[in-house]
Amino acid sequence: SIIKLQAREILDSRGNPTVEVECTLACGVKARASVPSGASTGVHEAVELRDGDPKRFGGKGVKKAVAHVNETIAPQLIGQDARAQAGIDGMMIALDGTPNKAKLGANAILGVSLTVARAAATAADLPLYHYLGGPNAVRLPVPNMNILNGGVHARWQGADFQEFMVAPYGASSFREALEWGSEIYHALRTVLMDKGHRVGVGDEGGFAPEVSSNEEPLELIVQAIEKTGLKPGADVGIAMDPASSAFFEDGNYHLRTEKRTVSAGEMVDYYEKLIKTYPVVLLEDGLAEDDWEGWKILNARLGGIIELVGDDLFVTNVERINRGIREDVANAALIKLNQIGTLTETVAAVRMCKKAGWGAFVSHRSGETVDSFIADMTVALDTGHLKSGAPARGERVEKYNQLMRIEEELGDAACYAGKEAYVRAVR
Ligand code: PGA
Ligand code: ZN
């Protein structure tokens, strides 16, 4: 049973405070987990509690969330069986009492939820992916590596579209996929330098060049893939997250780099053209978080040919995903633990997606720590694909490195998801 829960403020990859929680069990087991933080956060996400004290970290301190763990949550959970994940998460949800975890903070609640799961796995002497997923958790996901950053992750100095990812689904193992991704990443740097682009990176480790359109990164990435000797489309696909809520205003989409403002229908036309020209297999947040009518058009036009993922639209929330299924607006949901705030609710979101035949695309946040919980979770929930940024920078590669360890540990039992992991990708 749990004998101690201790939270503290640590720094994330952007140098902002975040919550870390340690759990101690009566058997002597200790575990630790930390919480990530988004920059292009959806308005419907669970609340990330910040102190708002301008004298510390520009208001971004998390001392209140830390105190909520140590003073409010811990006393309630001492003595609980760490294996009772759903009960513990349910207790915290009840203790909070709000629909969006505004009182205690999703960052406080999630830190506890994750450290308890890890402690229980350690006590059971099981790797986290087997503890969460059972003995059949053996499939390694396709890594979607974000090698070109734009939008808010590049302070609007580059493309409007936030993420351009490479998906080496043609590899025969996770390890090989990561090797291909790393080679493409380095080839892209050479392509950019040859063209006189700067090669500074954005929040997720991808390059952040100034471009004159949102099509240009696709062209550059195809060149980088070809430079490594791999085949765009056959070996490696491209996934895009325009994170379009960030440039949606007054009912229209404002493409700053292209100096034009377009409607939802015109955005869909644009995506259709890009998908026909480049090997794009997944489009996330192609339209904005409350543009349900636009999403209906998007899914009707493109849902039959690629995976359409809702991130800001669904925020890992079963109520919003359920509406999405009913209204047929997408065919996949992004899965981010801290958008909803507990492991139990995250698992429920993945189950709902699977039941509907939808994809579930597990994701890191742009502000990360070295915690690799999502690597194990992706294998446990058998979601087939995840995104964790560029194949560079410690907080990004730690997830990929953990997946290589898992693959090695599984040995002959391991299998690599490949292209079938993408909804509608096998045409
Ligand atoms: P965020 O971006 O972590 O900054 O919200 C990730 C995403 O939009 O998928
Ligand atoms: Zn997104």
Side-chain angles (χ1 to χ4, degrees), residues 46 101 106 315-318 336-342 345-346:
K101 302 185 177 67
V315 293
T316 319
N317 182 318
V318 288
K336 286 169 169 166
L337 284 157
N338 80 325
Q339 278 183 328
I340 191 69
T342 65
E345 291 166 288
T346 305

Side-chain angles (χ1 to χ4, degrees), residues 14 37-41 45 153 162-163 204 241 243 284 311-312 334 336 363-367 387:
R14 268 193 285 257
S37 172
S40 65
T41 46
E45 293 191 22
H153 294 169
Q162 182 177 279
E163 302 170 21
E204 298 188 351
D241 178 9
E284 175 187 329
D311 170 13
D312 292 349
L334 202 74
K336 286 169 169 166
S363 172
H364 66 154
R365 298 306 303 247
S366 54
K387 63 170 188 175

Side-chain angles (χ1 to χ4, degrees), residues 2-70:
I2 299 168
I3 58 168
K4 192 175 173 195
L5 280 166
Q6 163 115 47
R8 67 177 66 89
E9 193 179 63
I10 61 166
L11 292 184
D12 72 11
S13 58
R14 268 193 285 257
N16 293 325
T18 191
V19 177
E20 171 177 280
V21 187
E22 269 168 17
C23 176
T24 311
L25 304 182
C27 60
V29 160
K30 267 183 192 270
R32 176 190 289 162
S34 51
V35 177
S37 172
S40 65
T41 46
V43 297
H44 305 287
E45 293 191 22
V47 172
E48 175 184 75
L49 193 65
R50 299 267 177 201
D51 298 340
D53 170 4
K55 292 196 286 296
R56 296 187 71 249
F57 295 110
K60 288 195 163 83
V62 292
K63 283 196 159 174
K64 283 183 191 162
V66 164
H68 288 161
V69 173
N70 295 340

Side-chain angles (χ1 to χ4, degrees), residues 106-125:
N107 42 353
I109 292 171
L110 183 64
V112 174
S113 185
L114 300 185
T115 190
V116 164
R118 188 171 271 138
T122 309
D125 202 23

